[in-house]
């Protein structure tokens, strides 16, 4: 048993998040997925959304790397600046969940198991000065570049072989070492969509992914049973697909509709509100008990679906010299505070100056206030609640 100990500690909080690429919600609904079903029976399953505010400042392409980074940073593309799979110029001022963990407690351990090298090197930005030289404690990736051991063919079956290796290594390492925060990424299901659209091949890809989930879930159960650790697993997809199943990137309902499976018994009412990709970071942070710097919390676009939550769905508009705000109240009798900034220095690593507008009763669900002649190309509106922050931007076109 000692061979599996890692640095076991009873009730230690651990997280594994998994992205199964390109599986539409209507497909995951219709295919037998016994391992996902076991996990959701403990916690839950919900339809979710990827793509930001359609037609608004945060509209975000339903493209793979864009989705991954929206999860990793808890913000939409207008902030993290990843607009496609080329990942040209990520804005690392928006920290990933991995950097937040390490900055909070450098002794915490991180790992990544991925069928795409760029997840580690470009999105998380491992070993880059711009990310504070963040490094993973363990990584297993890059096999897609190894055509000798994984001969490439047009049928993309080698990607399934790599997914198999990734999931087996993830299960082995989690069972033995139990890192505090891990990411497993599997690609094959997306390849079957691009190659065959809505098809038996796509369905088979989902079934294969479910088997791979079973491996890591078994490792998590071992850790919980043997060492009493408190594990959270969150499984999602990065985007849906067009009606024929071949493509994605746009904002049709099927492309934007995703899903989330979790074992958490601590989901809140927001979990049933169609949570978004950016909601996963604050949810994982709540489970881990992370201390996130205030300047970062005020920028997060996500609302946690795990742990306490007081409000969601903040919106604001500028008309007739005043800002009008609305939100949904998810608790009773709570008060909040409204903050405004007319700068966006955070984008370049600086600090924004906020002024306090005043206190509000969250149950009222709305607030309007005059700008008294204040002019700006951007107003960053923040609603502070007892459980966190919501933000909305008003940007001049």
């Amino acid at each position: 048993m000692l061979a599996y100990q890692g640095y076991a500690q009873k009730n230690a909080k651990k997280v594994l998040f998994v992205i199964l690429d390109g599986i539409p919600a209507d497909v995951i609904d219709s295919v037998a997925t016994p391992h996902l079903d076991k996990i959701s029976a403990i916690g839950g399953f919900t339809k979710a959304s990827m793509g930001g505010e359609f037609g608004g400042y945060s509209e975000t392409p339903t493209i793979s790397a864009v989705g991954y980074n929206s999860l990793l940073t808890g913000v939409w593309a207008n902030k993290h600046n990843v607009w496609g799979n080329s990942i040209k110029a990520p804005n690392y001022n928006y920290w990933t969940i991995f950097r937040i963990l390490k900055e909070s407690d450098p002794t915490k351990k991180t790992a990544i198991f991925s069928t795409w090298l760029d997840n580690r090197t470009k999105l998380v930005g491992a070993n880059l000065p711009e990310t504070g030289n963040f490094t993973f404690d363990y990584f297993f990736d890059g096999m897609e570049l190894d055509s000798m051991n994984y001969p490439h063919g047009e049928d993309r079956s080698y990607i399934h072989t790599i997914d198999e290796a990734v999931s087996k290594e993830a299960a082995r390492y989690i069972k033995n070492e139990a890192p505090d925060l891990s990411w497993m990424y599997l690609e094959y299901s997306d390849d079957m969509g691009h190659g065959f659209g809505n098809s038996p091949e796509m369905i088979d890809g989902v079934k294969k992914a479910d088997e791979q989930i079973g491996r890591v879930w078994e490792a998590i159960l071992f850790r919980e049973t043997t060492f009493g650790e408190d594990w959270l697993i969150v499984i999602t997809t990065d985007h849906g697909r067009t009606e024929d199943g071949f493509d994605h990137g746009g904002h049709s309902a099927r492309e934007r509709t995703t899903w989330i499976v979790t074992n958490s018994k601590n989901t809140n009412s927001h979990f049933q509100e169609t949570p978004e990709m950016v909601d996963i970071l604050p949810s994982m942070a709540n489970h881990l008990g992370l201390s996130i710097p205030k300047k970062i919390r005020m920028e997060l676009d996500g609302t946690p679906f795990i742990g306490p939550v007081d409000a969601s769905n903040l919106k604001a508009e500028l008309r007739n010299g005043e800002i009008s705000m609305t939100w949904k109240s998810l608790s009773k009798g709570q008060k909040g505070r409204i903050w405004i900034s007319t700068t966006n220095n955070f984008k370049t690593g600086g600090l924004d100056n906020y002024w306090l507008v005043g206190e509000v009763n969250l149950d009222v669900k709305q607030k309007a206030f005059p700008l008294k002649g204040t002019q700006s190309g951007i107003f960053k509106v923040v609603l502070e609640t007892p459980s966190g922050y919501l933000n909305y931007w008003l940007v001049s076109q």
Side-chain angles (χ1 to χ4, degrees):
M1 186 176 295
L2 290 177
Y4 294 112
Q5 178 123 8
Y7 61 113
Q9 181 180 358
K10 189 174 182 180
N11 298 319
K13 303 286 188 178
K14 309 279 185 174
V15 171
L16 169 67
F17 66 95
V18 182
I19 297 178
L20 306 179
D21 204 316
I23 303 176
D26 53 20
V27 173
I28 208 76
D29 268 349
S30 62
V31 177
T33 51
H35 298 290
L36 288 173
D37 292 348
K38 289 176 185 177
I39 297 168
S40 63
I42 296 170
F45 167 91
T46 186
K47 296 286 180 66
S49 178
M50 164 60 195
E53 183 182 24
F54 179 55
Y57 73 93
S58 66
E59 182 177 296
T60 295
T62 55
I63 296 173
S64 294
V66 186
Y68 315 159
N69 215 43
S70 297
L71 186 160
L72 287 167
T73 61
V75 301
W76 295 117
N78 64 295
K79 296 180 182 180
H80 65 60
N81 203 44
V82 173
W83 297 94
N85 289 335
S86 59
I87 316 175
K88 293 180 180 178
N91 188 337
Y92 294 119
N93 291 310
Y94 297 92
W95 291 4
T96 67
I97 183 69
F98 290 106
R99 185 175 179 187
I100 290 172
L101 178 74
K102 279 291 192 180
E103 295 280 357
S104 174
D105 185 348
T107 69
K108 296 295 185 182
K109 303 300 182 183
T110 59
I112 183 171
F113 314 93
S114 175
T115 304
W116 198 37
L117 179 63
D118 287 356
N119 286 336
R120 172 170 61 91
T121 58
K122 292 185 178 181
L123 292 182
V124 178
N127 306 306
L128 296 179
E130 297 92 333
T131 64
N133 295 302
F134 168 84
T135 57
F136 281 97
D137 295 284
Y138 184 76
F139 57 86
F140 186 80
D141 56 14
M143 283 74 72
E144 75 276 16
L145 305 179
D146 181 358
S147 58
M148 180 175 293
N149 291 307
Y150 300 95
H152 293 18
E154 291 185 4
D155 65 356
R156 304 290 288 182
S157 62
Y158 74 96
I159 293 294
H160 169 60
T161 305
I162 295 172
D163 281 356
E164 284 283 282
V166 166
S167 62
K168 288 175 181 177
E169 179 60 11
R172 184 201 69 79
Y173 193 81
I174 287 169
K175 186 176 183 179
N176 290 356
E177 302 296 335
D180 298 285
L181 176 63
S182 305
W183 175 15
M184 183 173 79
Y185 164 72
L186 305 176
E187 180 182 327
Y188 184 67
S189 49
D190 187 57
D191 286 358
M192 292 303 95
H194 284 300
F196 301 97
N198 301 326
S199 62
E201 288 83 358
M202 178 68 186
I203 291 172
D204 181 61
V206 174
K207 291 180 177 179
K208 284 180 165 60
D210 184 70
E211 293 174 2
Q212 291 153 354
I213 289 294
R215 293 183 184 126
V216 294
W217 178 237
E218 182 180 352
I220 286 172
L221 291 177
F222 172 85
R223 296 297 307 190
E224 289 187 328
T225 302
T226 308
F227 300 113
E229 295 165 348
D230 183 2
W231 279 81
L232 169 68
I233 184 171
V234 178
I235 308 159
T236 191
T237 195
D238 50 334
H239 52 73
R241 312 196 75 84
T242 51
E243 288 304 312
D244 61 9
F246 282 98
D247 297 308
H248 56 86
H251 288 275
S252 68
R254 192 172 192 239
E255 288 169 282
R256 289 175 61 89
T257 303
T258 59
W259 49 271
I260 296 171
V261 167
T262 181
N263 69 324
S264 176
K265 297 179 180 178
N266 197 28
T267 56
N268 55 43
S269 58
H270 182 54
F271 190 64
Q272 304 304 327
E273 283 192 313
T274 312
E276 300 182 287
M277 182 68 86
V278 291
D279 296 342
I280 294 175
L281 183 150
S283 302
M284 295 190 296
N286 276 356
H287 177 81
L288 291 168
L290 282 186
S291 176
I292 303 177
K294 181 178 178 180
K295 65 179 183 178
I296 294 176
R297 293 171 66 201
M298 294 180 79
E299 291 285 340
L300 292 178
D301 290 327
T303 299
F305 54 77
I306 291 172
V309 66
D310 295 300
S312 65
N313 199 34
L314 176 66
K315 296 283 192 280
E317 61 177 327
L318 176 61
R319 62 169 183 255
N320 301 323
E322 71 174 19
I323 289 178
S324 177
M325 302 170 56
T326 62
W327 59 87
K328 184 171 182 179
S329 178
L330 299 178
S331 61
K332 296 294 184 182
Q334 298 294 331
K335 295 193 180 296
R337 296 194 294 177
I338 296 172
W339 301 86
I340 300 291
S341 177
T342 56
T343 63
N344 190 22
N345 298 324
F346 187 96
K347 177 181 179 179
T348 54
L351 291 174
D352 292 307
N353 295 316
Y354 285 88
W355 79 83
L356 178 63
V357 173
E359 190 174 85
V360 293
N361 182 341
L362 295 179
D363 292 338
V364 175
K365 305 176 187 177
Q366 60 183 1
K367 174 70 174 178
F369 53 91
L371 289 172
K372 300 178 181 179
T374 301
Q375 301 290 321
S376 177
I378 185 171
F379 291 95
K380 296 166 74 166
V381 183
V382 174
L383 176 62
E384 179 185 359
T385 76
S387 60
Y389 297 85
L390 304 174
N391 77 85
Y392 193 89
W393 286 7
L394 298 169
V395 184
S396 298
Q397 299 298 322

